[in-house]
Amino acid sequence: MITVVGVRFKKAGKIYYFDPDEIPVKKGDHVIVETSRGIEFGEVVVGPKEVTEEDIIAPLKKVLRVATEEDEMKNQQNIEKEEEAFSICLEKINKHGLEMKLIDVEYTFDNNKVIFYFTADGRVDFRELVKDLAAVFKTRIELRQIGVRDEAKMIGGMGPCGRSLCCGCWLGDFEPVSIKMAKEQNLSLNPTKISGICGRLMCCLKYEHETYQCLRENLPEVGEKIITPDGPGIVVENNVLLESVTVRLIIEEYEAENQEDKLSDDLNVYKKEEIQRICCCSSQDEEPQEVEAEEELEEVTEEESYNFLIEGED
C-alpha cells in the first residue's frame, strides 16, 4: 500500500494523486506539487490515505511543500495575469481573422507556459497567432482545442433543473452517455428535453441508470405475455420505480400465429411479486443486432482534445 493525497488544480477538475513525502498535509491545504507540466499550485481535496499500486499512475510525483503566503500571492497574481492574457489573445484572434472562440487562459505556477483553450469547428492555422503571443508573453505558448462539453465545464451555467451545471461544480470526469439510457428510464426522446446546454446528452442520465437496470431485471417488457392472479394477460406498460406492470387480460386466446389474442378493455395493475413470467426472453430482447449497433453509435463520450504546443522564442 502507498500513502497518497488527492490534489485538484481547478474547481470540479480531475483529482490527481501525489506522494505527501512525509509532509504534514491535510484536506483543504494548498500545496505546491511537481507535475508533467511543471510546478503547479493546487488544493488537497483528499487527505492522506493508502491505495494499491494499481490505483496510481507511475511515476508518482511528490508534494514539494505546503503553500506559503508568498505562494498564495503569486497564485493570485497569475489569476490577474490570466485575465489580461485573455484580452490580449482576443485582440490577436480578431486581428488575424481566425474562426475560433477563446474559452479560457491558464498560467502554470512557475510562469513557464501559458495555455489558451479554444473551440473551433475544424482545424485552425494559428501559426502567426502563436508568433504574436510568444512575442508578447516571452514564454512557451500552448493552444489547446477542446470540445463543447469541456467548454460548458469551463464557462459554467445553469442546467434545465435550475441548478448549476454538475460538470462545473463537482463532476471531475465525463462518463459515456447514450440514448439507450434515456429509453430505459422511459424519458422523452425529444433532444431539447434530454440535452444539456452543451448540446450533448445530459450527464445526469448516467446517475440512475444502474438502478433502473437492476429494477428492470425481473420486470416484464411491454408486449410480453404473463400470468396474473386473474389469468393470462399482455403487458401494456411497466413502471420501473414502482416495480409494477399494467396489463390487459386475455379474454380469448387463439393458437394460430396469424391471429392476435382478444384482450379486455380494462387495465389492471399488478406488483412484480403478483405475476409470473411465461418466458424471460421478450420479443424486444430478440431484436436484430443492427439495432444494438445503431444505439452504440449514438453513444456520446468526452470530446477529444487536440493539443498544439509551440515554443515561443525566449
Side-chain angles (χ1 to χ4, degrees):
M1 302 293 283
I2 302 174
T3 302
V4 298
V5 292
V7 178
R8 179 177 279 163
F9 302 104
K10 287 185 176 182
K11 182 182 178 181
K14 187 175 180 179
I15 298 175
Y16 297 89
Y17 284 148
F18 290 88
D19 179 5
D21 196 25
E22 299 184 357
I23 297 175
V25 294
K26 61 182 184 299
K27 183 178 179 181
D29 285 348
H30 288 154
V31 293
I32 305 299
V33 297
E34 179 187 358
T35 70
S36 57
R37 300 197 311 181
I39 307 301
E40 294 281 8
F41 180 97
E43 180 185 357
V44 177
V45 293
V46 178
K49 69 172 186 177
E50 292 188 345
V51 298
T52 61
E53 293 186 7
E54 291 76 16
D55 294 331
I56 64 173
I57 300 176
L60 185 64
K61 301 287 187 178
K62 294 183 179 181
V63 174
L64 300 181
R65 63 180 181 273
V66 176
T68 62
E69 185 176 345
E70 183 180 348
D71 293 330
E72 298 279 359
M73 292 178 59
K74 185 175 182 180
N75 182 63
Q76 186 59 40
Q77 290 173 359
N78 286 344
I79 295 175
E80 295 172 359
K81 289 165 66 175
E82 288 170 359
E83 296 177 1
E84 181 182 357
F86 191 95
S87 301
I88 293 174
C89 188
L90 276 181
E91 293 177 5
K92 299 296 183 182
I93 291 174
N94 294 331
K95 174 184 174 181
H96 292 282
L98 299 175
E99 295 184 359
M100 55 189 289
K101 179 182 177 183
L102 186 63
I103 302 301
D104 196 14
V105 180
E106 180 184 357
Y107 266 86
T108 57
F109 182 74
D110 54 7
N111 287 186
N112 188 44
K113 185 193 302 181
V114 187
I115 305 171
F116 296 88
Y117 298 92
F118 72 94
T119 58
D121 292 335
R123 298 280 182 170
V124 180
D125 184 4
F126 46 69
R127 286 173 291 185
E128 295 301 321
L129 172 63
V130 170
K131 292 179 181 178
D132 285 356
L133 294 175
V136 173
F137 298 107
K138 306 296 183 183
T139 188
R140 299 174 67 193
I141 302 297
E142 180 176 344
L143 284 142
R144 182 174 297 178
Q145 184 173 358
I146 60 175
V148 291
R149 300 180 84 188
D150 292 303
E151 177 187 1
K153 183 183 183 71
M154 289 183 176
I155 296 177
M158 303 293 290
C161 59
R163 304 190 65 176
S164 298
L165 297 180
C166 296
C167 60
C169 294
W170 60 269
L171 192 62
D173 293 320
F174 291 114
E175 294 191 25
V177 183
S178 68
I179 195 70
K180 184 178 180 181
M181 295 179 183
K183 292 178 182 178
E184 292 183 348
Q185 296 175 47
N186 294 328
L187 298 176
S188 169
L189 299 184
N190 185 340
T192 60
K193 299 289 187 181
I194 58 177
S195 299
I197 64 171
C198 61
R200 299 301 180 90
L201 293 176
M202 293 188 293
C203 297
C204 54
L205 293 176
K206 176 75 174 178
Y207 301 164
E208 298 179 356
H209 182 236
E210 291 185 7
T211 301
Y212 273 84
Q213 284 185 316
C214 292
L215 294 177
R216 276 186 178 276
E217 283 183 357
N218 298 315
L219 201 63
E221 299 286 350
V222 174
E224 184 175 341
K225 185 176 180 180
I226 61 173
I227 302 298
T228 73
D230 301 315
I234 301 296
V235 177
V236 295
E237 184 182 353
N238 55 30
N239 189 314
V240 179
L241 295 181
L242 295 179
E243 295 187 271
S244 63
V245 292
T246 302
V247 179
R248 292 180 65 184
L249 297 176
I250 298 176
I251 299 177
E252 189 172 354
E253 190 171 2
Y254 299 101
E255 295 183 359
E257 294 182 359
N258 58 347
Q259 285 185 301
E260 295 185 356
D261 298 330
K262 186 176 181 180
L263 306 178
S264 65
D265 295 330
D266 297 330
L267 299 177
N268 300 275
V269 180
Y270 301 95
K271 288 289 187 181
K272 183 177 70 174
E273 297 79 12
E274 299 176 323
I275 62 173
Q276 180 180 353
R277 302 181 70 176
I278 297 177
C279 179
C280 294
C281 299
S282 67
S283 58
Q284 292 188 3
D285 293 330
E286 299 173 354
E287 292 179 351
Q289 294 295 324
E290 287 75 14
V291 175
E292 295 183 5
E294 183 179 344
E295 290 181 345
E296 290 177 0
L297 290 176
E298 296 178 89
E299 181 177 299
V300 180
T301 57
E302 182 179 3
E303 286 288 333
E304 293 183 358
S305 296
Y306 301 96
N307 299 337
F308 304 93
L309 176 59
I310 299 182
E311 296 188 16
E313 297 178 356
D314 295 334

